[in-house]
Amino acid sequence: PADLDTSFSSDGYFYGDQQAAFAAALQPDGKIVAVGSNGNQVLATRYLTNGLQDSTANGGSGFGTAGQGYMGTIVAGTSDNQANNVVLQSDGKIVSVGTLVNDTGSVPQILLNRYLNNGLFDTVANGGSGFGTGGQGFYTAAISGFTIDSITGLAIQSDGSIIIGGYGTSSGISNLFVIGFTSDGVIDTTFGTSGITTISIGTDIIGGRIALQDDKVLITGATIISSEYNLVVARFNADG
């Protein structure tokens, strides 16, 4: 029967106070990485195979700040930081994508993070290679002329390039979008048009989940045509 596995976190589940998880990935060693939000903070947390947080107190290797099992951070001058998807790189680094809201303009922005295997941001100071703007471990920016509604798509191409996907509006027209980043976490201006590719079909298009097919980018969604929602699947070349 489909009963809860009580060997997992003693009762089959784990919950964190004021925390939400929106995506998870499984490491080769069986540990579970989950991402989401912790109040206004973006959250990355890791669990042992038994469902307990990967903290030194629980006998784990220690993940995140002070080995407490999670990493919760907020970008200065913003709110509503959250991650909607997560993927693992072949070298064990953890990439998450989501959105935040800038306090000055209330405009949703991209939030792309990369963590080392120990849960700390991928910065040189933490022993990493440096990721994102100024090597601070994350990238955040609005899309010029575009209002982001949601970012849920995330994938890594064979050369390490990072692709994200979502939906939003431009000049009042709803679009699916795909954005390319270099492996260092900055916009790849050779991808699409200055880093972004969009597609608009019908009206009120939503979606953004992506998958890779020989590095070509598949994006899924739904749109209204003739007053009815219709499925959308589009494919872009590897360079957008």
Side-chain angles (χ1 to χ4, degrees), residues 17 29 56 79 95 106 112 142 158 168 184 190 193 204 229 233 236:
D17 186 33
D29 62 2
T56 52
S79 61
V95 180
S106 298
L112 183 67
S158 59
D184 295 326
T190 68
T193 302
D204 295 324
Y229 265 112
V233 180
F236 299 100

Side-chain angles (χ1 to χ4, degrees), residues 161-240:
S161 297
I162 300 167
I163 309 297
I164 70 171
Y167 72 96
T169 57
S170 177
S171 301
I173 299 173
S174 57
N175 294 260
L176 294 176
F177 64 81
V178 176
I179 301 174
F181 289 82
T182 68
S183 60
D184 295 326
V186 296
I187 292 284
D188 181 359
T189 56
T190 68
F191 182 90
T193 302
S194 299
I196 184 171
T197 294
T198 65
I199 182 171
S200 181
I201 301 171
T203 60
D204 295 324
I205 197 166
I206 59 174
R209 290 283 180 176
I210 61 175
L212 299 182
Q213 183 183 48
D214 297 326
D215 279 345
K216 293 182 178 181
V217 184
L218 292 160
I219 187 167
T220 62
T223 189
I224 296 176
I225 299 175
S226 301
S227 302
E228 294 181 345
Y229 265 112
N230 290 260
L231 175 148
V232 175
V233 180
R235 187 171 73 184
F236 299 100
N237 289 323
D239 61 0

Side-chain angles (χ1 to χ4, degrees), residues 17-120:
D17 186 33
Q18 298 183 12
Q19 296 177 348
F22 302 124
L26 189 65
Q27 293 187 171
D29 62 2
K31 291 182 179 179
I32 303 156
V33 177
V35 299
S37 65
N38 180 21
N40 275 327
Q41 297 181 332
V42 64
L43 176 70
T45 184
R46 189 166 69 195
Y47 302 92
L48 304 172
T49 57
N50 61 10
L52 299 179
Q53 280 191 315
D54 185 2
S55 66
T56 52
N58 288 330
S61 57
F63 181 86
T65 307
Q68 61 191 344
Y70 66 91
M71 178 78 162
T73 54
I74 184 170
V75 177
T78 71
S79 61
D80 296 332
N81 289 222
Q82 71 175 50
N84 297 323
N85 206 346
V86 61
V87 296
L88 304 178
Q89 294 188 173
S90 58
D91 60 2
K93 292 180 180 180
I94 300 159
V95 180
S96 74
V97 71
T99 55
L100 54 75
V101 176
N102 190 301
D103 288 344
T104 58
S106 298
V107 176
Q109 299 185 5
I110 301 164
L111 178 58
L112 183 67
N113 296 334
R114 189 162 74 191
Y115 305 91
L116 303 174
N117 185 255
N118 61 10
L120 300 180

